[in-house]
Amino acid sequence: MAEIIQKDGTWTFDGDTVRIVPGSDKRVSLLRKSLGEVAVPLRALAGVTFEQGRRSGRLRLRLRDGADPLTRVAGGKLDDGSDPYRLTVENDRAGVAEYFVDEVRNSLLLDEVDAGPTERYLLPGPSLPITMGAGDGTATFDGEEIRLEWNWKTEESKSSRGTTTLSLGDVDAVEWRPSAGMENGFLRFRVGRGNSPAPKYDPHAVELYGFRKDPLMALVAAAVVARLPHPNADAAAPTLLAKTAEPAGAVPAPAPAAASGDDHDALLRRLRELGELHQAGILTAEEFTTAKQAVLKRL
């Protein structure tokens, strides 16, 4: 078991799942608080890193392409404060963060987790029903229908049509864009393949102005995307057909060679580093013992 507790949140890894619980600190974003606890299965991970900074470090999970509907919708456009897969780590807990990284990486190697794209979502997305208000409207999704209700900021030609209701089966794609500079953002549900009007006039879009609640609309988008056909599913079909078309008696391709063992000298250096962290008071006796045992097992 590896665990790191910070004001930003708590991350726990039991060998199979990374559990992320947002902190209660006032600096924690509305998106992370609204999303709540996230359980990331090991098979959804492509990697984990810890970056040491001058005042604090940054622990990051890197998910496989297509594993998480929120990551898919955000497309790298969530700011660091709203990213649930980033944890700010105080410098006095850098050693714990490095141990956490080692534990996750070791499990990824032992389980031979493929870091490539997935053919289905491995995380369920935000809980339903979900209702979020921002910009010129409020979006609600119950798993079957999407409702867009307008407020006093909505352009008249759009609000005059009344509430927009869409069946999940009518939606072809979902787009979420945060505002950037002088350009407003939007949450848009695409119906059909024709050109859509600007979000300000589009009855299938909520226009976003760059205010504090705007990132919450990414949660609505993720909840809908999680229930649409996976974008990588079609790409996987030719591979499956090729496998079934192999002639009888064909020799299967050799499995990839197992990763080589850890470098002996590197592990000894790691033991010395852990000892220094313990002597400096950065690691508690319990943390030091746990980390040392993990390194000794690999020796």
Side-chain angles (χ1 to χ4, degrees):
M1 173 76 76
E3 182 178 62
I4 181 165
I5 302 173
Q6 294 291 278
K7 294 179 180 178
D8 211 18
T10 299
W11 287 19
T12 306
F13 178 59
D14 61 5
D16 295 313
T17 304
V18 176
R19 296 195 178 277
I20 300 173
V21 179
S24 56
D25 189 82
K26 63 182 181 181
R27 295 175 297 178
V28 178
S29 73
L30 280 175
L31 183 147
R32 291 171 60 195
K33 289 180 178 178
S34 300
L35 182 61
E37 180 177 333
V38 178
V40 184
L42 186 67
R43 66 185 185 280
L45 292 179
V48 58
T49 59
F50 175 65
E51 305 161 2
Q52 182 68 64
R54 292 183 61 185
R55 296 185 178 180
S56 60
R58 181 176 295 166
L59 189 60
R60 278 189 183 276
L61 289 182
R62 184 165 59 88
L63 275 60
R64 297 170 62 188
D65 176 40
D68 174 38
L70 176 59
T71 304
R72 187 82 185 187
V73 162
K77 293 181 174 63
L78 276 180
D79 61 76
D80 278 354
S82 297
D83 187 348
Y85 306 114
R86 181 204 62 87
L87 181 71
T88 300
V89 178
E90 300 299 328
N91 281 339
D92 63 354
R93 279 292 174 263
V96 182
E98 289 172 352
Y99 170 64
F100 189 96
V101 168
D102 286 345
E103 287 293 289
V104 175
R105 284 179 176 171
N106 289 341
S107 294
L108 288 171
L109 286 172
L110 289 172
D111 287 16
E112 299 181 348
V113 175
D114 181 2
T118 65
E119 299 166 12
R120 62 186 181 88
Y121 292 117
L122 302 178
L123 282 83
S127 301
L128 297 180
I130 184 170
T131 298
M132 297 295 176
D136 69 350
T138 296
T140 300
F141 178 53
D142 61 6
E144 296 180 359
E145 284 189 343
I146 301 158
R147 287 173 56 85
L148 302 179
E149 300 175 272
W150 314 114
N151 58 36
W152 64 272
K153 297 187 288 291
T154 310
E155 204 279 332
E156 186 177 358
S157 64
K158 183 162 75 172
S159 62
S160 63
R161 303 187 185 195
T163 299
T164 296
T165 302
L166 295 170
S167 170
L168 180 63
D170 295 333
V171 177
D172 294 315
V174 183
E175 297 174 286
W176 173 80
R177 297 286 184 277
S179 60
M182 299 297 292
E183 186 177 350
N184 290 339
F186 61 88
L187 166 66
R188 190 199 305 272
F189 301 95
R190 285 200 171 273
V191 178
R193 300 188 179 277
N195 293 329
S196 299
K200 180 177 182 179
Y201 306 102
D202 189 350
H204 299 149
V206 175
E207 186 177 31
L208 304 173
Y209 307 124
F211 297 141
R212 184 166 172 255
K213 291 186 177 181
D214 281 11
L216 296 179
M217 285 300 187
L219 296 180
V220 180
V224 175
V225 162
R227 288 155 181 86
L228 293 177
H230 195 282
N232 295 341
D234 291 340
T239 303
L240 293 174
L241 288 173
K243 287 182 178 178
T244 57
E246 288 181 358
V251 179
S260 59
D262 293 295
D263 181 77
H264 189 270
D265 292 338
L267 291 174
L268 291 177
R269 286 196 300 271
R270 182 62 176 153
L271 282 174
R272 286 195 294 271
E273 291 171 359
L274 289 172
E276 292 169 359
L277 290 170
H278 178 45
Q279 291 177 359
I282 294 175
L283 289 179
T284 65
E286 183 180 355
E287 291 168 344
F288 170 67
T289 300
T290 303
K292 182 177 72 173
Q293 288 174 348
V295 175
L296 290 175
K297 285 180 183 178
R298 288 153 59 186
L299 275 169

